[in-house]
C-alpha cells in the first residue's frame, strides 16, 4: 500500500492568527517536488483536442441548461480569522488541518482538460499520470492523446454528471492493454490504484469523505456541482483540499479516530465522533459549462456554507451525489461501508460559519446551512 505523508497541523494562537490572512493559510501543506524523467515531458504535451461526439445516452441526458441561480452570498474567508479568535480564544487554542490531494501542484490546465466539455475524466487520468511517475521515482509517462481515444468520462454540455459507472471507464482506460501508461522502460502498465464510488447526498458528509480520502490515500474526489459561485457557472468539481478546525490542540483526524481504523481488516469504531468540528474551507477545481471557453479553473477556495450551495447536479433534487475517488488497492464493500460510516460520524457535529440576518457572523450546525429543497 502506498504511504502518503500525513497533512501538517498547526496549533493557532492569537499571535499566529494576527499574522495569517485566512485560516486556510495556517496550514503548512506539502510542496511536491517531483523529479520527472525525460519521458515525463510527454505528460505535459498540450495537444489540440480532437472533437468527439459521444453517443452515450447516459451523458447526454440534457441539452439546455436551466437559468443559473444567483451567486450564493457566502461568508468571506478573511472574515473567519477574527471570528474564530473572538469565539474560541477563551483560553483554548484552535487547531486547523488541511487535507490535500497528492500531486496538487501538477499542471491540470492542458488542452484536453481546459478545452473539453468539462472533462473531469481527463483530469482524473492526468492526476493518475503524475501519481504514477511520482511513486516510481520519476520514471514512466502518461499519454493523454491515447487516453482521449477512449472518450474519458465528462460532463454533458449543460449538466455536470459524475456517475458511479464512470469509475469502470476510468479503470478500463488505465489497463495496460489500453497503452496509456508506461513504465521507465517504455512497457505498458496498469498504474497502482483503482477508482471507486460512494453515494452521498449530504454536502457536509461529502466534504468529510473527500478529506478522509486525501488523508488515507492522497486521492482527489470528483463530484457534480451547480450554481454560479463568483459568477462562474459550474457543472462538476474536483475537491483539491479540505480544511477542518477544532477547539484544542488535536487535529480533526485524531479527535475522530481516523487512524484507529484499519480498513483492510474492517477494524475500528465508526459509531460516533463527539468533537464539534468546523468546516473552514474547501479548495476545488471548477469544471465550467458550455458557455465558457476556458472550461477548467483550479484552486478556488470557498467556505463551508458556500460548498453546500454548489454541491450536486443542476437537475437532481433531492440530491444523491456520486463521489469518485482512487484508493491504492481495491476495497471490499464492508471496508467502504465502514469508511463511509466514519465520515458520517465525523460530520455529525460539524459546524460552519454563516452570516445572520443582522449581518453578524454565526457558528451554526451544518444542517442549518443546507439549501432549502
Amino acid at each position: 500500500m502506498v504511504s502518503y505523508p500525513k497533512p501538517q497541523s498547526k496549533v493557532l494562537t492569537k499571535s499566529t492568527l494576527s499574522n495569517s490572512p485566512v485560516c486556510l493559510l495556517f496550514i503548512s501543506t506539502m510542496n511536491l517536488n517531483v523529479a520527472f524523467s525525460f519521458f515525463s515531458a510527454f505528460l505535459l504535451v498540450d495537444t489540440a483536442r480532437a472533437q468527439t461526439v459521444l453517443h452515450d445516452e447516459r451523458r447526454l441526458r440534457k441539452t439546455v441548461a436551466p437559468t443559473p441561480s444567483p451567486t450564493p452570498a457566502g461568508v468571506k474567508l478573511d472574515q473567519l480569522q477574527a471570528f474564530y479568535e473572538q469565539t474560541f480564544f477563551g483560553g483554548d487554542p484552535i487547531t486547523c488541518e488541511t487535507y490535500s490531494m497528492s500531486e496538487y501542484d501538477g499542471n491540470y490546465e492542458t488542452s484536453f482538460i481546459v478545452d473539453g466539455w468539462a472533462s473531469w475524466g481527463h483530469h482524473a487520468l492526468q492526476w493518475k499520470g503524475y501519481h504514477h511517475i511520482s511513486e516510481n521515482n520519476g520514471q514512466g509517462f502518461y499519454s493523454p492523446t491515447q487516453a482521449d481515444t477512449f472518450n474519458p468520462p465528462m460532463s454533458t454540455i449543460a449538466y455536470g454528471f459524475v456517475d458511479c459507472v464512470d469509475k469502470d471507464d476510468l479503470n478500463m482506460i488505465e489497463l495496460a492493454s489500453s497503452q496509456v501508461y508506461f513504465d521507465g522502460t517504455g512497457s505498458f502498465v496498469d498504474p497502482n490504484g483503482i477508482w471507486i464510488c460512494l453515494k452521498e447526498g449530504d454536502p457536509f458528509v461529502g466534504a468529510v469523505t473527500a478529506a478522509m480520502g486525501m488523508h488515507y490515500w492522497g486521492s482527489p474526489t470528483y463530484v457534480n456541482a451547480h450554481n454560479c459561485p463568483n459568477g462562474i457557472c459550474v457543472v462538476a468539481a474536483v475537491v483539491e483540499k479540505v480544511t477542518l478546525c477544532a477547539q484544542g490542540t488535536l487535529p480533526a483526524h485524531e479527535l475522530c479516530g481516523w487512524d484507529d481504523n484499519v480498513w483492510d481488516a474492517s477494524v475500528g469504531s465508526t459509531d460516533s465522533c463527539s468533537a464539534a468540528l468546523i468546516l473552514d474551507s474547501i479548495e476545488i477545481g471548477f469544471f465550467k459549462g458550455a458557455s465558457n471557453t476556458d472550461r477548467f479553473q483550479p484552486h478556488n477556495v470557498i467556505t463551508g456554507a458556500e460548498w453546500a450551495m454548489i454541491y450536486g447536479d443542476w437537475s437532481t433534487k433531492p440530491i444523491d451525489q456520486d463521489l469518485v475517488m482512487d484508493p491504492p488497492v481495491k476495497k471490499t464493500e464492508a471496508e467502504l461501508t465502514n469508511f463511509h460510516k466514519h465520515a458520517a460520524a465525523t460530520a455529525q457535529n460539524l459546524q460552519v460559519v454563516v452570516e445572520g440576518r443582522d449581518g453578524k457572523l454565526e457558528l451554526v450546525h451544518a444542517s442549518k446551512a443546507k439549501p432549502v429543497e
Side-chain angles (χ1 to χ4, degrees):
M1 178 174 176
V2 179
S3 176
Y4 295 98
K6 297 300 182 186
Q8 300 296 310
S9 60
K10 186 173 182 180
V11 178
L12 308 180
T13 64
K14 277 191 174 181
S15 60
T16 57
L17 273 174
S18 63
N19 294 324
S20 302
V22 296
C23 188
L24 179 64
L25 299 182
F26 296 157
I27 314 306
S28 174
T29 55
M30 57 186 177
N31 182 15
L32 301 175
N33 294 310
V34 180
F36 290 94
S37 68
F38 69 96
F39 288 119
S40 64
F42 188 67
L43 186 66
L44 301 177
V45 173
D46 192 14
T47 309
R49 187 178 192 274
Q51 295 298 318
T52 303
V53 178
L54 297 181
H55 299 286
D56 186 341
E57 292 182 359
R58 173 176 54 78
R59 295 187 186 134
L60 296 177
R61 290 185 174 183
K62 304 289 183 180
T63 56
V64 180
T67 302
S69 301
T71 301
V75 178
K76 300 302 181 183
L77 288 172
D78 56 6
Q79 294 176 274
L80 296 182
Q81 173 190 337
F83 183 72
Y84 290 148
E85 182 176 347
Q86 294 167 8
T87 303
F88 288 103
F89 282 99
D92 285 337
I94 184 171
T95 300
C96 292
E97 180 108 353
T98 294
Y99 304 91
S100 176
M101 60 179 269
S102 67
E103 315 307 329
Y104 169 86
D105 292 328
N107 174 29
Y108 298 98
E109 296 182 88
T110 69
S111 63
F112 289 100
I113 299 171
V114 171
D115 296 339
W117 295 113
S119 298
W120 71 268
H122 263 298
H123 186 287
L125 296 167
Q126 181 81 61
W127 169 80
K128 180 61 74 70
Y130 288 129
H131 178 64
H132 167 61
I133 292 172
S134 178
E135 70 175 1
N136 286 283
N137 300 314
Q139 299 299 307
F141 62 97
Y142 155 70
S143 171
T145 304
Q146 178 67 5
D148 193 57
T149 64
F150 294 96
N151 295 331
M154 61 192 295
S155 300
T156 64
I157 293 175
Y159 286 78
F161 199 64
V162 178
D163 193 287
C164 278
V165 299
D166 293 327
K167 65 179 173 46
D168 300 324
D169 293 342
L170 292 172
N171 288 326
M172 181 276 295
I173 295 172
E174 291 181 3
L175 293 174
S177 59
S178 298
Q179 303 182 9
V180 171
Y181 296 92
F182 304 76
D183 64 16
T185 68
S187 298
F188 305 123
V189 295
D190 184 346
N192 288 339
I194 183 166
W195 293 97
I196 63 169
C197 185
L198 295 169
K199 288 184 176 292
E200 180 51 62
D202 187 296
F204 301 108
V205 177
V208 173
T209 301
M212 289 178 63
M214 296 171 187
H215 179 71
Y216 286 113
W217 309 316
S219 173
T221 295
Y222 298 88
V223 65
N224 291 313
H226 69 287
N227 224 318
C228 301
N230 301 321
I232 302 171
C233 294
V234 300
V235 295
V238 53
V239 182
E240 302 166 330
K241 293 182 179 182
V242 177
T243 297
L244 297 171
C245 300
Q247 191 171 8
T249 60
L250 295 178
H253 63 273
E254 292 188 32
L255 284 172
C256 292
W258 293 2
D259 293 335
D260 295 335
N261 287 275
V262 183
W263 303 111
D264 291 342
S266 297
V267 174
S269 171
T270 58
D271 295 333
S272 64
C273 175
S274 60
L277 304 179
I278 303 170
L279 178 57
D280 173 80
S281 59
I282 299 180
E283 188 168 338
I284 60 178
F286 289 148
F287 297 93
K288 308 175 192 177
S291 61
N292 297 276
T293 54
D294 181 7
R295 298 191 180 98
F296 177 68
Q297 180 176 313
H299 310 329
N300 304 276
V301 181
I302 60 176
T303 66
E306 287 174 322
W307 166 250
M309 298 296 293
I310 72 167
Y311 185 83
D313 198 306
W314 280 99
S315 61
T316 55
K317 289 187 177 182
I319 56 177
D320 182 16
Q321 289 309 307
D322 296 350
L323 308 178
V324 176
M325 60 184 67
D326 185 272
V329 295
K330 187 175 182 179
K331 300 297 176 183
T332 66
E333 288 299 320
E335 290 164 2
L336 289 178
T337 297
N338 275 355
F339 176 84
H340 200 185
K341 282 183 178 178
H342 206 73
T346 299
Q348 67 183 0
N349 293 315
L350 197 66
Q351 303 173 84
V352 295
V353 177
V354 298
E355 186 174 340
R357 293 182 179 179
D358 58 359
K360 295 181 180 180
L361 299 182
E362 301 176 3
L363 189 63
V364 301
H365 190 277
S367 61
K368 296 182 178 180
K370 294 179 183 178
V372 177
E373 297 293 347

mmCIF file of all heavy atoms in Angstrom, residues 212-248:
data_model
loop_
_atom_site.group_PDB
_atom_site.id
_atom_site.type_symbol
_atom_site.label_atom_id
_atom_site.label_comp_id
_atom_site.label_asym_id
_atom_site.label_seq_id
_atom_site.Cartn_x
_atom_site.Cartn_y
_atom_site.Cartn_z
ATOM 1 N N MET A 212 -11.162 12.531 4.137
ATOM 2 C CA MET A 212 -10.641 11.232 4.538
ATOM 3 C C MET A 212 -9.934 10.535 3.384
ATOM 4 O O MET A 212 -8.901 9.877 3.571
ATOM 5 C CB MET A 212 -11.780 10.367 5.082
ATOM 6 C CG MET A 212 -12.302 10.832 6.435
ATOM 7 S SD MET A 212 -13.693 9.837 7.057
ATOM 8 C CE MET A 212 -12.910 8.234 7.247
ATOM 9 N N GLY A 213 -10.464 10.679 2.174
ATOM 10 C CA GLY A 213 -9.803 10.100 1.004
ATOM 11 C C GLY A 213 -8.428 10.678 0.778
ATOM 12 O O GLY A 213 -7.498 9.987 0.353
ATOM 13 N N MET A 214 -8.265 11.970 1.066
ATOM 14 C CA MET A 214 -6.955 12.608 0.952
ATOM 15 C C MET A 214 -6.035 12.156 2.079
ATOM 16 O O MET A 214 -4.838 11.906 1.860
ATOM 17 C CB MET A 214 -7.117 14.130 0.987
ATOM 18 C CG MET A 214 -7.890 14.699 -0.185
ATOM 19 S SD MET A 214 -8.254 16.449 0.066
ATOM 20 C CE MET A 214 -9.339 16.767 -1.327
ATOM 21 N N HIS A 215 -6.577 12.055 3.288
ATOM 22 C CA HIS A 215 -5.780 11.666 4.442
ATOM 23 C C HIS A 215 -5.213 10.256 4.284
ATOM 24 O O HIS A 215 -4.039 10.009 4.564
ATOM 25 C CB HIS A 215 -6.633 11.751 5.704
ATOM 26 C CG HIS A 215 -5.930 11.344 6.964
ATOM 27 N ND1 HIS A 215 -4.937 12.109 7.539
ATOM 28 C CD2 HIS A 215 -6.061 10.246 7.759
ATOM 29 C CE1 HIS A 215 -4.495 11.511 8.641
ATOM 30 N NE2 HIS A 215 -5.159 10.378 8.796
ATOM 31 N N TYR A 216 -6.050 9.335 3.858
ATOM 32 C CA TYR A 216 -5.610 7.947 3.712
ATOM 33 C C TYR A 216 -4.834 7.698 2.433
ATOM 34 O O TYR A 216 -3.822 6.991 2.431
ATOM 35 C CB TYR A 216 -6.821 7.007 3.737
ATOM 36 C CG TYR A 216 -7.429 6.810 5.097
ATOM 37 C CD1 TYR A 216 -8.703 7.280 5.374
ATOM 38 C CD2 TYR A 216 -6.742 6.160 6.116
ATOM 39 C CE1 TYR A 216 -9.282 7.101 6.619
ATOM 40 C CE2 TYR A 216 -7.299 5.981 7.364
ATOM 41 C CZ TYR A 216 -8.568 6.448 7.617
ATOM 42 O OH TYR A 216 -9.124 6.278 8.857
ATOM 43 N N TRP A 217 -5.322 8.239 1.326
ATOM 44 C CA TRP A 217 -4.830 7.811 0.017
ATOM 45 C C TRP A 217 -4.239 8.934 -0.838
ATOM 46 O O TRP A 217 -3.649 8.662 -1.876
ATOM 47 C CB TRP A 217 -5.976 7.164 -0.759
ATOM 48 C CG TRP A 217 -6.699 6.107 0.014
ATOM 49 C CD1 TRP A 217 -6.137 5.123 0.780
ATOM 50 C CD2 TRP A 217 -8.125 5.929 0.101
ATOM 51 N NE1 TRP A 217 -7.110 4.341 1.334
ATOM 52 C CE2 TRP A 217 -8.349 4.802 0.942
ATOM 53 C CE3 TRP A 217 -9.224 6.585 -0.455
ATOM 54 C CZ2 TRP A 217 -9.623 4.335 1.239
ATOM 55 C CZ3 TRP A 217 -10.503 6.125 -0.154
ATOM 56 C CH2 TRP A 217 -10.691 5.013 0.678
ATOM 57 N N GLY A 218 -4.419 10.169 -0.442
ATOM 58 C CA GLY A 218 -3.960 11.283 -1.276
ATOM 59 C C GLY A 218 -4.809 11.486 -2.510
ATOM 60 O O GLY A 218 -4.401 12.174 -3.448
ATOM 61 N N SER A 219 -6.004 10.907 -2.531
ATOM 62 C CA SER A 219 -6.835 10.930 -3.738
ATOM 63 C C SER A 219 -7.684 12.189 -3.828
ATOM 64 O O SER A 219 -8.299 12.609 -2.844
ATOM 65 C CB SER A 219 -7.761 9.711 -3.749
ATOM 66 O OG SER A 219 -8.695 9.790 -4.820
ATOM 67 N N PRO A 220 -7.795 12.786 -5.019
ATOM 68 C CA PRO A 220 -8.821 13.811 -5.231
ATOM 69 C C PRO A 220 -10.189 13.135 -5.255
ATOM 70 O O PRO A 220 -10.294 11.916 -5.413
ATOM 71 C CB PRO A 220 -8.458 14.391 -6.602
ATOM 72 C CG PRO A 220 -7.774 13.269 -7.315
ATOM 73 C CD PRO A 220 -7.028 12.494 -6.251
ATOM 74 N N THR A 221 -11.239 13.930 -5.121
ATOM 75 C CA THR A 221 -12.603 13.421 -5.216
ATOM 76 C C THR A 221 -13.353 14.237 -6.257
ATOM 77 O O THR A 221 -13.296 15.468 -6.253
ATOM 78 C CB THR A 221 -13.327 13.517 -3.861
ATOM 79 O OG1 THR A 221 -12.684 12.659 -2.917
ATOM 80 C CG2 THR A 221 -14.792 13.090 -3.986
ATOM 81 N N TYR A 222 -14.052 13.548 -7.152
ATOM 82 C CA TYR A 222 -14.813 14.202 -8.219
ATOM 83 C C TYR A 222 -16.298 14.106 -7.900
ATOM 84 O O TYR A 222 -16.798 13.060 -7.460
ATOM 85 C CB TYR A 222 -14.500 13.544 -9.566
ATOM 86 C CG TYR A 222 -13.041 13.683 -9.931
ATOM 87 C CD1 TYR A 222 -12.107 12.748 -9.503
ATOM 88 C CD2 TYR A 222 -12.587 14.780 -10.660
ATOM 89 C CE1 TYR A 222 -10.755 12.892 -9.800
ATOM 90 C CE2 TYR A 222 -11.235 14.932 -10.963
ATOM 91 C CZ TYR A 222 -10.329 13.994 -10.526
ATOM 92 O OH TYR A 222 -8.989 14.142 -10.805
ATOM 93 N N VAL A 223 -17.006 15.209 -8.122
ATOM 94 C CA VAL A 223 -18.417 15.283 -7.738
ATOM 95 C C VAL A 223 -19.140 16.263 -8.649
ATOM 96 O O VAL A 223 -18.520 17.163 -9.239
ATOM 97 C CB VAL A 223 -18.538 15.717 -6.259
ATOM 98 C CG1 VAL A 223 -18.016 17.136 -6.069
ATOM 99 C CG2 VAL A 223 -19.970 15.582 -5.740
ATOM 100 N N ASN A 224 -20.429 16.088 -8.796
ATOM 101 C CA ASN A 224 -21.231 17.059 -9.531
ATOM 102 C C ASN A 224 -21.290 18.377 -8.778
ATOM 103 O O ASN A 224 -21.179 18.418 -7.552
ATOM 104 C CB ASN A 224 -22.660 16.529 -9.717
ATOM 105 C CG ASN A 224 -22.715 15.361 -10.670
ATOM 106 O OD1 ASN A 224 -22.128 15.394 -11.737
ATOM 107 N ND2 ASN A 224 -23.420 14.308 -10.275
ATOM 108 N N ALA A 225 -21.485 19.449 -9.518
ATOM 109 C CA ALA A 225 -21.608 20.776 -8.916
ATOM 110 C C ALA A 225 -22.593 21.598 -9.733
ATOM 111 O O ALA A 225 -22.865 21.304 -10.899
ATOM 112 C CB ALA A 225 -20.250 21.469 -8.858
ATOM 113 N N HIS A 226 -23.138 22.625 -9.091
ATOM 114 C CA HIS A 226 -24.056 23.519 -9.789
ATOM 115 C C HIS A 226 -23.941 24.908 -9.155
ATOM 116 O O HIS A 226 -23.154 25.113 -8.246
ATOM 117 C CB HIS A 226 -25.494 23.013 -9.698
ATOM 118 C CG HIS A 226 -26.078 23.090 -8.329
ATOM 119 N ND1 HIS A 226 -25.707 22.248 -7.316
ATOM 120 C CD2 HIS A 226 -27.009 23.935 -7.788
ATOM 121 C CE1 HIS A 226 -26.377 22.545 -6.214
ATOM 122 N NE2 HIS A 226 -27.167 23.575 -6.462
ATOM 123 N N ASN A 227 -24.723 25.836 -9.668
ATOM 124 C CA ASN A 227 -24.732 27.207 -9.185
ATOM 125 C C ASN A 227 -23.573 28.003 -9.787
ATOM 126 O O ASN A 227 -22.774 27.468 -10.557
ATOM 127 C CB ASN A 227 -24.704 27.280 -7.655
ATOM 128 C CG ASN A 227 -25.691 28.320 -7.125
ATOM 129 O OD1 ASN A 227 -25.799 29.403 -7.690
ATOM 130 N ND2 ASN A 227 -26.392 27.983 -6.062
ATOM 131 N N CYS A 228 -23.488 29.273 -9.421
ATOM 132 C CA CYS A 228 -22.516 30.163 -10.065
ATOM 133 C C CYS A 228 -21.710 30.931 -9.025
ATOM 134 O O CYS A 228 -21.878 32.159 -8.870
ATOM 135 C CB CYS A 228 -23.222 31.135 -11.000
ATOM 136 S SG CYS A 228 -24.175 30.316 -12.306
ATOM 137 N N PRO A 229 -20.846 30.264 -8.259
ATOM 138 C CA PRO A 229 -20.021 30.981 -7.279
ATOM 139 C C PRO A 229 -19.081 31.948 -7.970
ATOM 140 O O PRO A 229 -18.435 31.611 -8.972
ATOM 141 C CB PRO A 229 -19.255 29.846 -6.579
ATOM 142 C CG PRO A 229 -19.265 28.720 -7.559
ATOM 143 C CD PRO A 229 -20.557 28.824 -8.303
ATOM 144 N N ASN A 230 -19.016 33.163 -7.441
ATOM 145 C CA ASN A 230 -18.157 34.209 -8.006
ATOM 146 C C ASN A 230 -18.435 34.452 -9.493
ATOM 147 O O ASN A 230 -17.549 34.821 -10.254
ATOM 148 C CB ASN A 230 -16.687 33.849 -7.803
ATOM 149 C CG ASN A 230 -16.329 33.669 -6.346
ATOM 150 O OD1 ASN A 230 -16.800 34.407 -5.491
ATOM 151 N ND2 ASN A 230 -15.512 32.677 -6.046
ATOM 152 N N GLY A 231 -19.684 34.203 -9.911
ATOM 153 C CA GLY A 231 -20.061 34.456 -11.296
ATOM 154 C C GLY A 231 -19.634 33.380 -12.268
ATOM 155 O O GLY A 231 -19.805 33.543 -13.479
ATOM 156 N N ILE A 232 -19.079 32.255 -11.756
ATOM 157 C CA ILE A 232 -18.631 31.162 -12.621
ATOM 158 C C ILE A 232 -19.628 30.017 -12.498
ATOM 159 O O ILE A 232 -19.763 29.412 -11.437
ATOM 160 C CB ILE A 232 -17.232 30.669 -12.220
ATOM 161 C CG1 ILE A 232 -16.229 31.820 -12.273
ATOM 162 C CG2 ILE A 232 -16.770 29.532 -13.132
ATOM 163 C CD1 ILE A 232 -14.871 31.467 -11.682
ATOM 164 N N CYS A 233 -20.361 29.713 -13.559
ATOM 165 C CA CYS A 233 -21.336 28.631 -13.512
ATOM 166 C C CYS A 233 -20.620 27.301 -13.713
ATOM 167 O O CYS A 233 -19.952 27.089 -14.728
ATOM 168 C CB CYS A 233 -22.402 28.831 -14.577
ATOM 169 S SG CYS A 233 -23.438 30.290 -14.273
ATOM 170 N N VAL A 234 -20.762 26.414 -12.739
ATOM 171 C CA VAL A 234 -20.008 25.164 -12.729
ATOM 172 C C VAL A 234 -20.940 23.978 -12.932
ATOM 173 O O VAL A 234 -22.135 24.038 -12.638
ATOM 174 C CB VAL A 234 -19.223 24.999 -11.414
ATOM 175 C CG1 VAL A 234 -18.236 26.131 -11.239
ATOM 176 C CG2 VAL A 234 -20.166 24.927 -10.213
ATOM 177 N N VAL A 235 -20.378 22.890 -13.465
ATOM 178 C CA VAL A 235 -21.154 21.674 -13.701
ATOM 179 C C VAL A 235 -20.561 20.470 -12.990
ATOM 180 O O VAL A 235 -21.229 19.454 -12.811
ATOM 181 C CB VAL A 235 -21.280 21.375 -15.213
ATOM 182 C CG1 VAL A 235 -22.093 22.460 -15.903
ATOM 183 C CG2 VAL A 235 -19.913 21.226 -15.865
ATOM 184 N N ALA A 236 -19.303 20.545 -12.600
ATOM 185 C CA ALA A 236 -18.643 19.469 -11.864
ATOM 186 C C ALA A 236 -17.454 20.077 -11.131
ATOM 187 O O ALA A 236 -17.041 21.209 -11.399
ATOM 188 C CB ALA A 236 -18.193 18.350 -12.798
ATOM 189 N N ALA A 237 -16.899 19.317 -10.181
ATOM 190 C CA ALA A 237 -15.785 19.842 -9.387
ATOM 191 C C ALA A 237 -14.868 18.709 -8.963
ATOM 192 O O ALA A 237 -15.291 17.560 -8.812
ATOM 193 C CB ALA A 237 -16.308 20.582 -8.162
ATOM 194 N N VAL A 238 -13.599 19.053 -8.765
ATOM 195 C CA VAL A 238 -12.650 18.152 -8.126
ATOM 196 C C VAL A 238 -12.263 18.781 -6.794
ATOM 197 O O VAL A 238 -11.893 19.957 -6.737
ATOM 198 C CB VAL A 238 -11.400 17.896 -9.004
ATOM 199 C CG1 VAL A 238 -10.735 19.198 -9.464
ATOM 200 C CG2 VAL A 238 -10.391 17.026 -8.256
ATOM 201 N N VAL A 239 -12.393 18.013 -5.715
ATOM 202 C CA VAL A 239 -12.013 18.516 -4.394
ATOM 203 C C VAL A 239 -10.508 18.357 -4.249
ATOM 204 O O VAL A 239 -9.983 17.244 -4.287
ATOM 205 C CB VAL A 239 -12.743 17.758 -3.278
ATOM 206 C CG1 VAL A 239 -12.361 18.338 -1.913
ATOM 207 C CG2 VAL A 239 -14.255 17.833 -3.473
ATOM 208 N N GLU A 240 -9.814 19.489 -4.096
ATOM 209 C CA GLU A 240 -8.354 19.503 -4.019
ATOM 210 C C GLU A 240 -7.850 19.557 -2.583
ATOM 211 O O GLU A 240 -6.828 18.961 -2.254
ATOM 212 C CB GLU A 240 -7.819 20.712 -4.797
ATOM 213 C CG GLU A 240 -8.234 20.731 -6.252
ATOM 214 C CD GLU A 240 -8.002 22.078 -6.913
ATOM 215 O OE1 GLU A 240 -8.072 23.125 -6.217
ATOM 216 O OE2 GLU A 240 -7.757 22.098 -8.143
ATOM 217 N N LYS A 241 -8.552 20.306 -1.727
ATOM 218 C CA LYS A 241 -8.168 20.431 -0.317
ATOM 219 C C LYS A 241 -9.423 20.645 0.528
ATOM 220 O O LYS A 241 -10.414 21.214 0.047
ATOM 221 C CB LYS A 241 -7.221 21.620 -0.091
ATOM 222 C CG LYS A 241 -5.844 21.484 -0.725
ATOM 223 C CD LYS A 241 -4.968 22.695 -0.386
ATOM 224 C CE LYS A 241 -3.581 22.555 -0.994
ATOM 225 N NZ LYS A 241 -2.704 23.697 -0.636
ATOM 226 N N VAL A 242 -9.359 20.205 1.773
ATOM 227 C CA VAL A 242 -10.420 20.464 2.746
ATOM 228 C C VAL A 242 -9.742 20.865 4.051
ATOM 229 O O VAL A 242 -8.824 20.181 4.513
ATOM 230 C CB VAL A 242 -11.305 19.222 2.990
ATOM 231 C CG1 VAL A 242 -12.349 19.520 4.064
ATOM 232 C CG2 VAL A 242 -11.981 18.778 1.689
ATOM 233 N N THR A 243 -10.188 21.962 4.651
ATOM 234 C CA THR A 243 -9.645 22.405 5.934
ATOM 235 C C THR A 243 -10.705 22.263 7.019
ATOM 236 O O THR A 243 -11.797 22.828 6.917
ATOM 237 C CB THR A 243 -9.169 23.867 5.861
ATOM 238 O OG1 THR A 243 -8.100 23.966 4.924
ATOM 239 C CG2 THR A 243 -8.667 24.339 7.226
ATOM 240 N N LEU A 244 -10.360 21.486 8.052
ATOM 241 C CA LEU A 244 -11.225 21.290 9.215
ATOM 242 C C LEU A 244 -10.538 21.868 10.444
ATOM 243 O O LEU A 244 -9.335 21.692 10.626
ATOM 244 C CB LEU A 244 -11.500 19.799 9.432
ATOM 245 C CG LEU A 244 -12.263 19.074 8.320
ATOM 246 C CD1 LEU A 244 -12.274 17.569 8.577
ATOM 247 C CD2 LEU A 244 -13.694 19.600 8.213
ATOM 248 N N CYS A 245 -11.301 22.545 11.290
ATOM 249 C CA CYS A 245 -10.767 23.152 12.510
ATOM 250 C C CYS A 245 -11.497 22.587 13.733
ATOM 251 O O CYS A 245 -12.643 22.147 13.635
ATOM 252 C CB CYS A 245 -10.924 24.667 12.481
ATOM 253 S SG CYS A 245 -10.069 25.481 11.106
ATOM 254 N N ALA A 246 -10.804 22.628 14.875
ATOM 255 C CA ALA A 246 -11.405 22.152 16.118
ATOM 256 C C ALA A 246 -10.778 22.880 17.294
ATOM 257 O O ALA A 246 -9.601 23.257 17.255
ATOM 258 C CB ALA A 246 -11.214 20.645 16.277
ATOM 259 N N GLN A 247 -11.554 23.081 18.327
ATOM 260 C CA GLN A 247 -11.029 23.703 19.534
ATOM 261 C C GLN A 247 -10.096 22.716 20.234
ATOM 262 O O GLN A 247 -10.375 21.519 20.321
ATOM 263 C CB GLN A 247 -12.176 24.083 20.467
ATOM 264 C CG GLN A 247 -11.760 24.974 21.616
ATOM 265 C CD GLN A 247 -12.971 25.493 22.386
ATOM 266 O OE1 GLN A 247 -14.087 25.072 22.141
ATOM 267 N NE2 GLN A 247 -12.738 26.409 23.312
ATOM 268 N N GLY A 248 -8.960 23.226 20.709
ATOM 269 C CA GLY A 248 -7.988 22.373 21.365
ATOM 270 C C GLY A 248 -6.724 22.220 20.544
ATOM 271 O O GLY A 248 -6.479 22.966 19.600
#
